[in-house]
Amino acid sequence: MHAIPVIIDCDPGHDDAFALWLALGSDALDVRAVTAVGGNVDLAHTANNARVVLSVAGVSDIPVAAGAAGPLARVLETAEGIHGANGLGGPAVLPEPTFALEERDAQTLFADVLTAAEEPVAIIATGPITNVAILLRDRPDLHERIREIVWMGGSTERGNYTPYAEFNSWVDPEAVDIVVRSGIRFTMVGLNITHQALLTPAVRERIVAIGNETARFSDELMEFFCRTNDEMFGMPDGPLHDPVAVAVLAAPETVTSRHVRMDVELVGTETRGVTSVDLHGVTGREPNVHVAMDLDVDAFWDAVVAAVSRLA
Ligand code: RIB
Ligand code: CA
């Protein structure tokens, strides 16, 4: 099978961890690099957590670089209420990463990977999309080296950080606007579909029953994530947002998308970061984003379990 070369840009984060594991354990993807961004927690923690997540899975040969500490034009607000102070709440002590952070920053690593790749590389972003926006803004020469961009963020319905804005979009709406306007194929994986990826007790049991180190480590993460989602949103079966973005490329048969118009709100007081998705063409504007709409839930979890089973 031809494996799609990918870069994962993330802010681990419990669901980012599963996004990384799905990507690493999928033979449809070839993870060339991981970049961290300030989001769920500060950059120092997300850059550390990305390496912890890879290390637990037995992976130490993929470069992990630190990117932007915060959004382009706003002040970072983090999400410890869901992810805990260190971003991977649950385990009493996080294991130390088995490899060092890249000396190169995320932008240098992006450029090196994109330039060296034998074909255009897909970027899957599962946090505020600041790093990707900086790449597109500063390196127009590299646009042709990017196959497509898939992003967990936004929503066709209500939000989660404000009544109508999803967290990743709210943190850096200017970054979303840059990515949408770039013209590079862009798939938005919003809350409308990620709320279909629920960590039910049966799903959690399936994952823990895999029995490897990754599954054991994930058990405490899932317990914490479900508890905080229950406390904050009344969702005891925590929605595992980020791996759905990976599934778009790792298991495309599990996700149905529509090519529609989406514009992100930059100036609204109450509506900052709202992804205005025109599902019925009422704006008359040209479609510009592929919006993930429906998930084959059973097949999705089969893909997650199969991927985690291939890890340490
Ligand atoms: O709104 C959910 C998104 O925000 C997920 O990516 C989660 O990890 C947080 O970053
Ligand atoms: Ca995330």
Side-chain angles (χ1 to χ4, degrees):
M1 168 187 269
H2 168 256
I4 302 169
V6 300
I7 296 171
I8 309 287
D9 184 71
C10 55
D11 63 336
H14 295 67
D15 50 334
D16 301 76
F18 277 90
L20 288 166
W21 289 331
L22 176 56
L24 294 168
S26 168
D27 54 15
L29 303 182
D30 176 8
V31 181
R32 303 284 175 89
V34 175
T35 51
V37 65
N40 284 322
V41 287
D42 64 28
L43 179 63
H45 280 106
T46 58
N48 179 72
N49 294 347
R51 290 181 292 129
V52 167
V53 167
L54 265 61
S55 301
V56 164
V59 174
S60 58
D61 59 352
I62 293 176
V64 176
L72 296 177
R74 314 265 181 168
V75 176
L76 177 64
E77 290 186 24
T78 49
E80 283 85 355
I82 291 291
H83 298 280
N86 67 1
L88 288 178
V93 177
L94 285 183
E96 285 299 316
T98 58
F99 61 102
L101 186 67
E102 269 293 301
E103 290 183 5
R104 292 173 287 180
D105 66 8
Q107 296 304 321
T108 306
L109 185 56
F110 276 146
D112 289 349
V113 170
L114 292 176
T115 303
E118 69 289 353
E119 64 181 272
V121 177
I123 299 176
I124 302 174
T126 62
I129 201 164
T130 313
N131 287 336
V132 179
I134 293 170
L135 169 67
L136 300 185
R137 180 194 68 194
D138 295 351
R139 295 299 305 267
D141 60 303
L142 293 177
H143 285 202
E144 65 182 11
R145 305 300 299 148
I146 300 170
R147 168 189 168 122
E148 62 184 292
I149 298 164
V150 182
W151 172 59
M152 190 280 135
S155 174
T156 65
E157 298 162 345
R158 294 179 63 88
N160 59 3
Y161 195 71
T162 69
Y164 284 96
E166 179 278 329
F167 177 74
N168 291 338
S169 184
W170 185 89
V171 168
D172 201 344
E174 284 75 18
V176 178
D177 192 50
I178 288 172
V179 176
V180 171
R181 292 178 187 276
S182 73
I184 296 171
R185 180 185 174 94
F186 183 52
T187 300
M188 181 190 107
V189 181
L191 298 177
N192 53 289
I193 189 172
T194 65
H195 280 181
Q196 300 172 43
L198 298 176
L199 280 174
T200 63
V203 165
R204 290 172 56 182
E205 283 169 24
R206 275 189 74 188
I207 293 170
V208 173
I210 295 168
N212 60 13
E213 181 53 34
T214 303
R216 278 191 296 275
F217 181 70
S218 76
D219 190 9
E220 289 180 296
L221 294 182
M222 292 188 289
E223 192 284 327
F224 185 95
F225 185 73
C226 289
R227 177 158 40 83
T228 57
N229 271 276
D230 189 19
E231 291 164 357
M232 189 164 287
F233 302 114
M235 299 180 75
D237 299 343
L240 209 62
H241 309 284
D242 293 336
V244 182
V246 174
V248 169
L249 297 182
E253 69 283 358
T254 66
V255 178
T256 306
S257 301
R258 287 185 56 192
H259 191 212
V260 293
R261 180 69 188 199
M262 187 279 275
D263 294 283
V264 60
E265 177 60 68
L266 303 178
V267 297
T269 303
E270 299 301 324
T271 54
R272 158 191 168 176
V274 165
T275 48
S276 175
V277 180
D278 183 4
L279 293 175
H280 306 296
V282 296
T283 63
R285 298 173 190 157
E286 281 299 306
N288 59 353
V289 174
H290 296 270
V291 175
M293 298 298 292
D294 292 303
L295 184 69
D296 179 335
V297 175
D298 292 341
F300 168 75
W301 288 120
D302 288 347
V304 171
V305 168
V308 171
S309 300
R310 293 192 191 100
L311 305 175

